[in-house]
Amino acid sequence: MQRFISIIFSIIIVFFLTLCFGHSVSANSNYIIDNYDVNIEIDQNNFYKVTENIDVEFTNYQHGIYRYIPYRYYNKTVFENQTYDYSQLFIKVKDIKVKDKELKVSYDETNNYKFVNLRIGDPDSYVIGKVNYLINYEYQIGKLPEKQFVYYNIMGNMETNINKGSFRIVLPSKIDISQMKFYQGGVGSSDISSASYATETLSDGRFVIKGSINKPISNNEYLTIFLPVPDDYFSTAPILKSNFQMFTPIFFILAIVNLLFVGIIWYFYGRDKKIIRVLEFRPPDDLTPLEIYFIYNEIDGNLGGNKGIKEASSLIYYLANKGYLTIEFLDDKNFNIKKTEKQLLKEKNHIIQFYNNLFKNKSELTKKDLEEIFYSAGQAAVINITGYNQTDKKSNLFKVMMIIGTTFILGLAGFTLFDHYSFMIFLPVIIVLINYSIINLILSNKLEKSISGTKKHSYIYFILLAFTNIFGLSLIQLLSNNLSLLILIFLLEIAYSFSFFIKKRNDEHINMLGRIEGFREFMLIAKKNELEMLVKEQPSYFFDILPYAHILGVSKIFTEKFSDIKMNIPETYYGSGINTLNYIFLYSYLHNIDTVARTSYTSVMQASKSSFGGGGFSGGGGFSGGGFGGGGGGSW
């Protein structure tokens, strides 16, 4: 019983001792800092040579300690009733050394600060007991943008108590210290430190402040010095620049040279020869309507995506004219399409694929059937159409090279922005820039085609391109507030746009476009007597040409020219209301087929869309933890 009472009494004593001396117990039971000695030598450049001599006692096995030191501050601070913005202050942490210990340096960003992280120790071994760490680095601040001062977090925030601490701060010359203050406490604390200090002047004129703490620094506390100095005190201090600022002149030179090079390449390798129209009465080289569409609109067959699917409705007329199917017009809105016995022996692959997908399950199709299957049939035709060599290989190569070169310069500039901006600012700028560039490239491509004559309304694309540039650049300027970046992006975006004009058509394509444009022009200007002669030579001329007129956008004008020309309607077109003289009526029937095809295309596209479904220079000044440097650390 006496032994039991002794154990209980011992427990009570330990409990009360813990309460009484709890302030000296480490917040991190893995280690204790017995002594933290800091020596800071500040020169006239406002560069700090820092030596940290840390005596640590590990109570558990650990690899070592880590230190993190802030070097970018993206917020504002207030002290002496004035607000200071140090987002454009680009501090450098250099020459990091740790005596006789393994060191790994990395970089991180959190809470609007960027840190250099020092991991000290061997990841393959452990330490316990007393260990000394001697850390050296240069903390380069340079010229402050407004008032000059020494405001520095000397030590603290180490995830454990600092039982003893001392400091020695060497300034370049004697200074009035009447306004000097030391703060000790948590971040934001304005408690004046009871630190003891003394001053002396060295033989070379330098001024020394030397002192020590009078009470331990807790794990979430700092010891901070604040000392205003005259504006000319750091007489030779440079204004430090970010990587982006240092390389901006080079980026400008590269961007201007790149833009000039794009212009030179375009002049020698990107200018098209003039297209000479050659009037033709029939489609050149027996090309199918879909081939004419892809060549005329300069679309690579296998890269056209969904382009040409709606236009595949012209193949229904084409197949009817060839006798492979018949079209029965039931009334002005309804029709049936029937498969004939004639075999597709010598037709091109895309025609065969369209036909097979059209009559995959049935030999007769109603209007409703066509709506359901047309998209898949048109897609089969587009997928299987043979690509047509349209551009000069050398100009294509140069265009790709210029786009890659421009992207490379933009990428280099973007890489340096990691050093200039915080991630929260950098990421929105990059997202806007990527979207802006993609839209710019699309509109530039459209503008090139409109100017080259394969697209209409070039002024619309020009206006859209101008609006995109104004809006995109304004948004980037709003986010970044950086005129140099704005000008650089503007130069590179011009180069992007101009690169698309390095697109020289090859001689074969120039010749083919001339023939197709001549064929289209003939359908627009043909006279009655010319058409009568063609019908006399080829009774089915109107029906054979109609699919091409449809593809080239002149079917209505072309049809009206035959209103007074007598000719028989082929047997493949039949039904109530059709007679030998009513070609306008026939055109309206055929137009109804186009409407069905477009309805099928639109419904599929809409369906596909719906299926996607501590430390540092932080707010408030003249307080503990508000200065430069410092940071914190712990064990690992």
Side-chain angles (χ1 to χ4, degrees):
M1 183 68 180
Q2 185 177 1
R3 183 179 179 184
F4 177 75
I5 293 173
S6 298
I7 293 172
I8 296 297
F9 184 71
S10 298
I11 292 173
I12 293 172
I13 291 175
V14 170
F15 176 74
F16 278 103
L17 285 173
T18 302
L19 291 178
C20 294
F21 300 102
H23 66 275
S24 64
V25 178
S26 171
N28 186 332
S29 60
N30 293 321
Y31 76 116
I32 299 169
I33 296 179
D34 293 324
N35 185 61
Y36 201 126
D37 180 73
V38 180
N39 186 77
I40 305 171
E41 295 185 9
I42 307 173
D43 63 18
Q44 290 184 329
N45 292 323
N46 202 18
F47 289 1
Y48 293 44
K49 288 185 178 180
V50 182
T51 300
E52 299 179 359
N53 195 336
I54 310 172
D55 291 323
V56 176
E57 182 175 358
F58 291 99
T59 56
N60 289 314
Y61 283 102
Q62 296 286 288
H63 296 289
I65 66 170
Y66 65 86
R67 280 277 286 117
Y68 56 91
I69 306 166
Y71 64 95
R72 289 287 183 278
Y73 306 87
Y74 295 107
N75 56 351
K76 296 179 181 180
T77 190
V78 179
F79 60 93
E80 295 185 342
N81 298 319
Q82 292 190 25
T83 300
Y84 299 93
D85 183 3
Y86 293 100
S87 61
Q88 296 301 312
L89 193 63
F90 300 103
I91 294 170
K92 311 290 183 183
V93 182
K94 293 188 173 183
D95 298 330
I96 303 170
K97 298 176 183 177
V98 176
K99 184 179 179 181
D100 300 330
K101 300 290 190 299
E102 188 171 331
L103 171 66
K104 181 179 179 181
V105 179
S106 60
Y107 298 87
D108 194 12
E109 176 181 344
T110 183
N111 297 328
N112 284 331
Y113 299 97
K114 286 189 176 181
F115 299 89
V116 55
N117 298 314
L118 314 181
R119 192 180 73 172
I120 306 169
D122 187 349
D124 297 324
S125 64
Y126 293 88
V127 293
I128 195 168
K130 295 186 177 183
V131 181
N132 175 259
Y133 294 93
L134 189 63
I135 306 170
N136 291 277
Y137 57 90
E138 185 169 9
Y139 195 82
Q140 300 179 353
I141 298 177
K143 194 80 171 179
L144 296 175
E146 299 178 47
K147 286 189 175 182
Q148 306 303 303
F149 46 76
V150 173
Y151 194 20
Y152 195 81
N153 301 315
I154 301 171
M155 65 183 77
N157 200 29
M158 286 296 293
E159 290 188 352
T160 188
N161 293 349
I162 300 175
N163 292 331
K164 292 181 180 180
S166 59
F167 56 87
R168 178 176 179 267
I169 302 171
V170 182
L171 295 163
S173 60
K174 190 172 177 60
I175 184 72
D176 178 11
I177 62 169
S178 61
Q179 297 184 60
M180 181 178 71
K181 295 177 183 179
F182 288 95
Y183 300 94
Q184 183 176 332
V187 175
S189 172
S190 57
D191 294 343
I192 302 298
S193 172
S194 60
S196 301
Y197 66 89
T199 63
E200 65 174 310
T201 304
L202 301 178
S203 59
D204 59 4
R206 291 187 298 167
F207 189 68
V208 179
I209 304 169
K210 188 176 181 180
S212 60
I213 60 174
N214 291 325
K215 67 175 183 177
I217 299 175
S218 298
N219 64 304
N220 61 346
E221 294 182 347
Y222 282 98
L223 175 67
T224 302
I225 181 175
F226 173 69
L227 173 61
V229 301
D231 289 343
D232 60 350
Y233 187 73
F234 297 115
S235 58
T236 61
I239 298 176
L240 299 182
K241 297 180 179 180
S242 68
N243 290 336
F244 175 76
Q245 289 174 325
M246 288 191 293
F247 288 104
T248 293
I250 296 175
F251 292 146
F252 277 147
I253 293 172
L254 289 174
I256 293 171
V257 170
N258 178 69
L259 183 57
L260 291 174
F261 201 52
V262 169
I264 293 170
I265 292 296
W266 169 82
Y267 184 84
F268 287 103
Y269 298 102
R271 291 186 300 165
D272 277 322
K273 294 181 181 179
K274 185 177 181 180
I275 298 174
I276 301 175
R277 296 177 179 177
V278 180
L279 289 179
E280 299 202 7
F281 307 146
R282 296 177 177 82
D285 295 349
D286 294 325
L287 295 172
T288 68
L290 207 55
E291 287 175 322
I292 292 286
Y293 171 79
F294 275 88
I295 295 170
Y296 182 68
N297 289 280
E298 298 188 296
I299 303 169
D300 187 347
N302 295 324
L303 299 176
N306 290 320
K307 293 180 180 178
I309 293 179
K310 296 192 299 290
E311 288 71 19
S313 63
S314 62
L315 299 183
I316 295 176
Y317 319 153
Y318 177 86
L319 290 167
N321 297 334
K322 294 273 190 172
Y324 300 119
L325 59 81
T326 62
I327 304 175
E328 179 186 6
F329 299 99
L330 303 176
D331 52 44
D332 61 347
K333 292 184 179 180
N334 296 294
F335 55 85
N336 289 332
I337 298 176
K338 298 179 181 179
K339 182 179 181 181
T340 67
E341 298 297 325
K342 187 175 180 181
Q343 300 296 311
L344 282 71
L345 298 177
K346 296 182 179 181
E347 294 295 335
K348 296 176 181 178
N349 189 45
H350 69 280
I351 297 294
I352 296 173
Q353 294 300 324
F354 178 79
Y355 180 84
N356 289 340
N357 279 270
L358 203 61
F359 296 107
K360 182 184 295 184
N361 300 317
K362 298 180 179 180
S363 60
E364 182 174 344
L365 305 173
T366 63
K367 176 182 177 181
K368 185 177 180 180
D369 293 331
L370 186 64
E371 286 182 358
E372 293 176 354
I373 66 165
F374 175 79
Y375 183 89
S376 62
Q379 188 179 50
V382 169
I383 290 174
N384 287 278
I385 198 165
T386 303
Y388 190 81
N389 185 26
Q390 301 173 1
T391 55
D392 180 74
K393 292 182 179 179
K394 189 177 292 185
S395 69
N396 257 345
L397 177 62
F398 278 123
K399 180 176 75 173
V400 172
M401 287 175 60
M402 292 301 97
I403 292 176
I404 291 175
T406 304
T407 304
F408 179 73
I409 297 171
L410 188 60
L412 283 178
F415 182 76
T416 62
L417 291 176
F418 279 104
D419 176 62
H420 190 94
Y421 293 110
S422 72
F423 181 77
M424 297 304 294
I425 296 175
F426 178 80
L427 184 60
V429 171
I430 293 299
I431 291 174
V432 170
L433 181 57
I434 290 173
N435 285 279
Y436 161 41
S437 297
I438 290 173
I439 296 172
N440 191 18
L441 295 180
I442 292 172
L443 291 175
S444 297
N445 188 36
K446 296 282 189 182
L447 180 61
E448 187 280 329
K449 287 189 174 183
S450 66
I451 292 176
S452 68
T454 59
K455 291 283 184 182
K456 295 181 180 180
H457 310 306
S458 59
Y459 65 92
I460 293 179
Y461 295 119
F462 181 81
I463 292 172
L464 288 174
L465 187 60
F467 175 79
T468 298
N469 278 275
I470 293 172
F471 180 77
L473 291 171
S474 299
L475 195 55
I476 288 172
Q477 176 64 11
L478 182 65
L479 291 170
S480 67
N481 191 30
N482 191 320
L483 183 60
S484 297
L485 178 63
L486 186 74
I487 296 172
L488 179 64
I489 291 175
F490 178 67
L491 292 172
L492 293 173
E493 291 294 338
I494 291 176
Y496 268 132
S497 297
F498 203 23
S499 293
F500 276 89
F501 287 83
I502 306 174
K503 185 181 178 182
K504 185 178 182 180
R505 302 180 180 96
N506 60 37
D507 292 340
E508 182 183 3
H509 186 49
I510 287 283
N511 177 61
M512 185 57 70
L513 279 178
R515 296 177 67 187
I516 292 174
E517 289 190 8
F519 175 50
R520 183 179 185 275
E521 185 176 2
F522 172 75
M523 287 188 283
L524 290 172
I525 67 173
K527 297 180 180 178
K528 181 180 178 181
N529 62 326
E530 293 174 325
L531 295 174
E532 286 177 332
M533 289 179 60
L534 289 169
V535 170
K536 187 175 180 180
E537 293 175 5
Q538 183 182 342
S540 63
Y541 178 79
F542 167 77
F543 300 94
D544 293 339
I545 301 302
L546 186 60
Y548 298 94
H550 169 68
I551 281 293
L552 295 172
V554 295
S555 53
K556 185 175 181 180
I557 296 174
F558 180 70
T559 303
E560 289 175 348
K561 291 180 180 292
F562 286 84
S563 59
D564 295 329
I565 299 176
K566 293 182 179 182
M567 58 181 177
N568 294 323
I569 296 177
E571 294 179 356
T572 50
Y573 299 97
Y574 64 95
S576 59
I578 294 182
N579 54 61
T580 56
L581 296 177
N582 203 344
Y583 297 106
I584 301 298
F585 195 37
L586 174 60
Y587 169 75
S588 67
Y589 277 127
L590 296 178
H591 183 69
N592 193 31
I593 294 176
D594 298 336
T595 302
V596 172
R598 292 175 184 274
T599 300
S600 175
Y601 174 85
T602 303
S603 63
V604 172
M605 295 305 295
Q606 288 177 344
S608 65
K609 289 179 181 179
S610 63
S611 64
F612 290 110
F617 195 63
S618 60
F623 55 78
S624 179
F628 296 110
S635 66
W636 66 285

